[in-house]
């Protein structure tokens, strides 16, 4: 169901009672792992674990999602029943868990996830045959979480849905997190995973094996946690079929990888998609050039103070604030960037900087699109209450990637910008 006024009121209340990110990121990680363990497997998607070796000896965990059926095609009844075992907790709830986690942690029943333990992504009936699907391309996905939280476990269900909905293989990257690993570790991890993918050097380890990936801070830095021999590599896809995609801090990393690839010349990304990305560096309401920091910076789960905390935990020095690989909006030169889709959220403190980044890209690049998702809040990709927002997002992505028709859709009717009968999105650049 779409986000409504009652949910907005609940989010505003939650925004005031939750601790700031700088004080709660460790508890947030624990909460997210608990949530990830509740997620059911998606029988429409094969899930495999892989690792990308870094120059310093660290092995970055990856999770590979391959669609098994065409989107919209029903599964055999046995598989449909085996997959109907619950849904993950909404991210709007997870955002306030750190405030109460120490009291409720011993009382939470934990159900082990089966999302990564089966090569077919299927539980309960391995003999049921599924129609074969040829993926249309590969999405290299960088998760959000302010560079300090999030991970491939938390995003497993979202990435499986992404793979099936977009009919593409999705490779999710577990880059190292701040503040234990500060800038530029995360972007270098993501860049190297992308370079290996483009070069056909990305190794697969223990395909189909069960690998329970913890946050990188607790994983062995020199070897895959699940063991297994690195016996194969993912063949180099057609570069035109590879899409860099990230949400929030992951959108920042996707944009930074594109800039880094242009500057280093080792590979050339053709397409990038940025979902409410972090591209700026100033979240002080008194000094920020963007009005959305002031209007959306207190009431919608992600606060301006959270963003300031994330920036402080990620940066290694003050000089990083003007490094384009840290804050892409500070780049003096945005030429020769991939075909780009930017998606902003109406009630996100990052909204205005996202749209400013799209406008700057458009000045020197062809094929830049930007849509504002009406009634959207930051992080809605993981919010099970935001089904309408996620569906709208994928309709726009399908239009961008596959040139499917993008027909007007009714808004939720909860804001002045999206009145009853109005559109669920706004074409910011007027490119359609």
């Amino acid at each position: 169901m779409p986000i409504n006024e009652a949910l907005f009121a609940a989010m505003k209340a939650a925004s005031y009672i939750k601790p700031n990110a700088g004080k709660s990121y460790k508890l947030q990680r624990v909460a997210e792992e608990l949530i990830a363990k509740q997620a059911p497997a998606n029988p429409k998607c094969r899930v495999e674990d892989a690792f990308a070796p870094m120059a310093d000896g660290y092995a970055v965990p990856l999770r590979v999602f391959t669609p098994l059926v065409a989107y919209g095609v029903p599964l055999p009844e046995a598989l449909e029943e085996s997959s109907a075992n619950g849904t993950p907790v909404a991210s709007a709830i997870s955002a306030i868990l750190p405030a109460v986690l120490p009291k409720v942690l011993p009382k939470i029943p934990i159900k082990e996830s089966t999302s990564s333990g089966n090569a077919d992504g299927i539980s309960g009936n391995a003999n049921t045959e599924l129609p074969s699907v040829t993926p249309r391309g590969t999405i290299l996905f960088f998760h959000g979480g302010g560079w300090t939280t999030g991970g491939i476990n938390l995003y497993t269900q979202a990435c499986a849905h992404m793979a099936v909905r977009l009919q593409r293989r999705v490779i999710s990257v577990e880059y190292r997190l701040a503040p234990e690993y500060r800038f530029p570790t995360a972007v270098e991890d993501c860049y190297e995973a992308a370079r290996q993918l483009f070069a056909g050097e990305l190794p697969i380890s223990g395909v189909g094996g069960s690998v329970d990936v913890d946050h990188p801070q607790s994983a062995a830095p020199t070897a895959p946690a699940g063991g297994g021999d690195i016996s194969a590599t993912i063949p180099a896809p057609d570069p035109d079929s590879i899409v860099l995609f990230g949400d929030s801090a992951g959108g920042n990393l996707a944009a930074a990888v594109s800039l880094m690839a242009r500057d280093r010349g080792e590979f050339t990304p053709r397409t990038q998609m940025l979902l409410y990305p972090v591209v700026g560096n100033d979240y002080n309401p008194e000094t920020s050039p963007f009005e959305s920091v002031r209007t959306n910076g207190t009431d919608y789960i992600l606060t301006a103070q959270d963003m300031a905390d994330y920036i402080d935990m990620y940066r290694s020095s003050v000089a990083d604030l003007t490094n384009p690989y840290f804050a892409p909006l500070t780049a003096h030169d945005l030429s020769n960037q991939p075909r780009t889709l930017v998606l902003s959220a109406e009630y996100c403190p990052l909204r205005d900087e996202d749209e400013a980044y799209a406008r700057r890209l458009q000045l020197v690049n062809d094929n830049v699109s930007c849509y504002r998702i009406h009634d959207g809040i930051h992080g809605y990709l993981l919010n099970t209450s935001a089904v309408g927002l996620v569906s709208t997002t994928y309709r726009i992505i399908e239009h961008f990637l596959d040139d499917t028709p993008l027909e007007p859709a009714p808004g939720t009717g909860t804001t002045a910008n999206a009145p009853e009968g109005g559109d669920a999105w706004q074409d910011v650049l007027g490119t359609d």
Side-chain angles (χ1 to χ4, degrees), residues 20 61 123 196 209 242 257 348 389:
N20 291 330
S123 59
Q196 292 180 29
I242 299 176
V257 166
C348 175
L389 300 177

Side-chain angles (χ1 to χ4, degrees), residues 130-411:
L130 295 174
S132 61
V133 172
T134 301
R136 298 174 184 172
T138 300
I139 294 173
L140 189 64
F141 181 76
F142 310 126
H143 67 79
W147 307 284
T148 66
T149 63
I152 59 177
N153 288 337
L154 183 66
Y155 276 77
T156 286
Q157 195 173 51
C159 286
H161 177 69
M162 184 190 305
V164 175
R165 176 69 189 251
L166 299 179
Q167 292 291 282
R168 284 166 170 82
R169 178 172 55 188
V170 174
I171 302 175
S172 183
V173 180
E174 179 89 325
Y175 55 86
R176 283 172 280 187
L177 300 178
E180 292 88 347
Y181 296 92
R182 293 177 178 264
F183 178 82
T185 301
V187 67
E188 292 288 358
D189 285 352
C190 293
Y191 174 86
E192 181 59 18
R195 188 201 64 77
Q196 292 180 29
L197 176 63
F198 275 83
E201 300 172 0
L202 201 60
I204 301 176
S205 174
V207 172
S210 179
V211 180
D212 186 13
V213 179
D214 294 321
H215 284 290
Q217 286 66 33
S218 59
T222 57
D229 295 328
I230 296 176
S231 57
T233 59
I234 296 176
D238 177 358
D240 289 336
S241 73
I242 299 176
V243 179
L244 304 183
F245 185 22
D247 71 320
S248 189
N252 167 281
L253 294 169
V257 166
S258 293
L259 289 168
M260 197 176 279
R262 178 201 62 188
D263 296 342
R264 296 181 180 179
E266 294 183 289
F267 62 95
T268 304
R270 309 295 207 271
T271 306
Q272 66 177 353
M273 302 190 303
L274 315 176
L275 177 58
Y276 38 75
V278 184
V279 290
N281 59 15
D282 183 1
Y283 299 97
N284 183 336
E286 296 182 359
T287 58
S288 171
F290 299 113
E291 187 61 25
S292 60
V293 171
R294 288 174 282 278
T295 58
N296 298 339
T298 57
D299 296 335
Y300 301 100
I301 303 297
L302 178 71
T303 66
Q305 183 59 56
D306 287 335
M307 285 306 309
D309 289 348
Y310 288 136
I311 290 289
D312 284 343
M313 286 189 285
Y314 183 44
R315 68 178 177 87
S316 297
S317 67
V318 174
D320 292 339
L321 297 175
T322 54
N323 186 321
Y325 305 151
F326 183 97
L329 193 56
T330 67
H332 297 295
D333 179 11
L334 289 177
S335 63
N336 299 316
Q337 287 301 279
R339 178 171 175 250
T340 300
L341 173 65
V342 177
L343 293 163
S344 66
E346 181 180 6
Y347 287 106
C348 175
L350 311 180
R351 182 196 66 206
D352 292 350
E353 70 180 58
D354 293 344
E355 295 170 8
Y357 190 64
R359 291 188 180 96
R360 281 202 56 204
L361 282 171
Q362 188 188 39
L363 292 176
V364 290
N365 299 279
D366 295 331
N367 296 325
V368 178
S369 300
C370 180
Y371 296 87
R372 178 186 298 182
I373 306 301
H374 288 154
D375 287 341
I377 62 165
H378 192 89
Y380 69 74
L381 183 67
L382 292 181
N383 194 323
T384 55
S385 298
V387 174
L389 300 177
V390 174
S391 178
T392 293
T393 297
Y394 277 118
R395 290 173 61 199
I396 294 172
I397 289 175
E398 289 165 340
H399 174 68
F400 176 75
L401 291 180
D402 301 324
D403 201 28
T404 59
L406 185 59
E407 301 295 336

